[in-house]
Amino acid sequence: MYFSPNTPENLRTQYEDTLHMQTTEAITQYLGLPMISGRNKQRMFSYIKEKVWSRLNSWNSKLFSYGGREILLKAVIQVMPTYAMSCFQLPVILCDQLEALMARYWWSSSIAKQKTHWLAWRKMCLPKTQGGLGFRSFEHHNQALLAAQAWRILTCPDSLPARIFREKYFSHTTFLTASGRIEGCL
């Protein structure tokens, strides 16, 4: 069990004795996601940017054709934050920074060098049938993954996650009419 710092000691002891569980110090991550979220979401998810940067920095793009770079970006980099994006709404600034790292890798022979970007990244995210390269927009992909979670809550109202969210966020109303407090928490 983990308690917030302002939980009285007698209440902590009561829960420990009743549930036969031990108290632990704050765990920073569980299953790769932050356990405790603060107000600064960009700092909370900065580990994603660092992982993407280190992975891109480890690849020498001189060794890859543009087709190879496309496969690496789509199959490795765009997949890395998927689990976090299915649970949390990432800050738009972080999504933009991740896309900027990918664009820099795409156009340059090194992540550290800045070269001319001959096409805007948002145009590269268009489907190939519309003249793009089919890269995912992190912001839109994040919204789609959270919408899938919302759909599960709507279609399976007796599931454990649906019951937890109902009790915590919309116990006196329905999911669709709940206030914005649930936003970013799916």
Side-chain angles (χ1 to χ4, degrees):
M1 273 188 303
Y2 172 74
F3 295 99
S4 69
N6 57 356
T7 304
E9 188 63 39
N10 61 345
L11 194 58
R12 291 179 191 212
T13 308
Q14 181 183 355
Y15 279 115
E16 287 174 9
D17 294 342
T18 304
L19 298 173
H20 304 290
M21 296 176 77
Q22 292 181 348
T23 303
T24 183
E25 294 300 317
I27 302 170
T28 56
Q29 286 193 338
Y30 179 70
L31 296 177
L33 294 177
M35 283 292 292
I36 302 170
S37 62
R39 293 191 186 274
N40 190 343
K41 302 290 187 215
Q42 191 172 353
R43 188 175 71 207
M44 185 170 96
F45 294 111
S46 64
Y47 72 94
I48 294 172
K49 181 181 172 187
E50 291 167 8
K51 281 175 54 176
V52 166
W53 185 87
S54 67
R55 182 64 56 99
L56 288 173
N57 206 28
S58 68
W59 296 333
N60 186 352
S61 58
K62 287 181 183 179
L63 302 176
F64 299 111
S65 66
Y66 279 108
R69 290 182 204 181
E70 178 184 358
I71 298 299
L72 286 172
L73 290 175
K74 287 180 178 178
V76 178
I77 301 302
Q78 289 191 320
V79 173
M80 288 172 76
T82 300
Y83 181 59
M85 291 190 315
S86 68
C87 299
F88 294 100
Q89 184 173 13
L90 299 183
V92 176
I93 293 171
L94 178 64
C95 293
D96 292 342
Q97 290 171 344
L98 293 173
E99 290 174 358
L101 287 173
M102 289 175 56
R104 187 177 300 154
Y105 178 79
W106 176 263
W107 293 109
S108 179
S109 60
S110 167
I111 192 76
K113 291 183 181 177
Q114 183 70 27
K115 286 205 171 174
T116 303
H117 295 211
W118 295 105
L119 189 63
W121 187 257
R122 64 177 165 29
K123 290 184 180 177
M124 293 177 69
C125 289
L126 292 173
K128 290 185 177 185
T129 58
Q130 295 178 7
L133 289 174
F135 288 110
R136 285 188 202 136
S137 162
F138 280 113
E139 182 181 358
H140 295 133
H141 187 58
N142 190 195
Q143 290 173 354
L145 291 170
L146 292 176
Q149 296 288 6
W151 180 252
R152 282 188 206 105
I153 289 172
L154 285 170
T155 58
C156 303
D158 294 329
S159 67
L160 181 61
R163 290 185 298 173
I164 291 171
F165 278 116
R166 182 174 47 246
E167 287 302 315
K168 185 167 182 173
Y169 295 107
F170 53 95
S171 58
H172 303 297
T173 184
T174 65
F175 177 75
L176 294 176
T177 59
S179 68
R181 289 182 359 197
I182 196 167
E183 183 179 319
C185 296
L186 289 178

